[in-house]
Amino acid sequence: QVQLVESGGGLVQAGGSLRLSCAASGRTFSSYAMGWFRQAPGKEREFVAAISWSGGSTYYADSVKGRFTISRPNAKNTVYLQMNSLKPEDTAVYYCAAIESMISLRIGYWGQGTQVTVSS
């Protein structure tokens, strides 16, 4: 069992930055790849970024590549999403996820979500 709690969302102006955190508990956390997804009003939930269980590989959606950075420092049960150069279209609820399969993006556990609002 893995529990995920996101924090760090808020309101920011376009061009600004936010850092999201996902605190995980559970003995098997380190064996999961971790990811961030987002869902804007009236839209499907979409993939944003993922990081392998070792932290050695990262993956990004084209829409955030070069602006967002996902990380999971060693010995910490936390995954971060550093978001720079934010745009109004980044406005969404952001969800942390423990990923069972990177090939199919099968999700084992979801967090409750944190709201990010970017004003123009």
Side-chain angles (χ1 to χ4, degrees):
Q1 187 78 5
V2 175
Q3 292 80 42
L4 305 174
V5 179
E6 301 98 331
S7 61
L11 173 64
V12 64
Q13 288 189 329
S17 298
L18 281 174
R19 188 175 80 158
L20 304 183
S21 300
C22 173
S25 60
R27 288 182 294 176
T28 59
F29 165 74
S30 60
S31 65
Y32 284 89
M34 296 296 296
W36 288 93
F37 294 72
R38 66 186 181 187
Q39 187 166 20
K43 294 190 176 182
E44 299 274 327
R45 190 172 298 190
E46 65 175 3
F47 169 79
V48 175
I51 188 165
S52 62
W53 67 271
S54 67
S57 298
T58 56
Y59 311 87
Y60 297 94
D62 288 343
S63 59
V64 306
K65 204 170 291 183
R67 299 188 298 122
F68 291 10
T69 303
I70 189 171
S71 62
R72 61 188 303 176
N74 290 339
K76 288 190 176 182
N77 284 357
T78 304
V79 177
Y80 300 100
L81 185 68
Q82 178 67 43
M83 306 186 296
N84 298 328
S85 302
L86 282 161
K87 305 175 181 180
E89 51 263 44
D90 294 318
T91 295
V93 177
Y94 283 70
Y95 296 90
C96 178
I99 301 171
E100 293 185 339
S101 168
M102 281 299 302
I103 296 174
S104 64
L105 278 185
R106 185 173 70 247
I107 305 302
Y109 302 93
W110 289 103
Q112 84 288 351
T114 185
Q115 176 70 47
V116 171
T117 303
V118 184
S119 63
S120 57

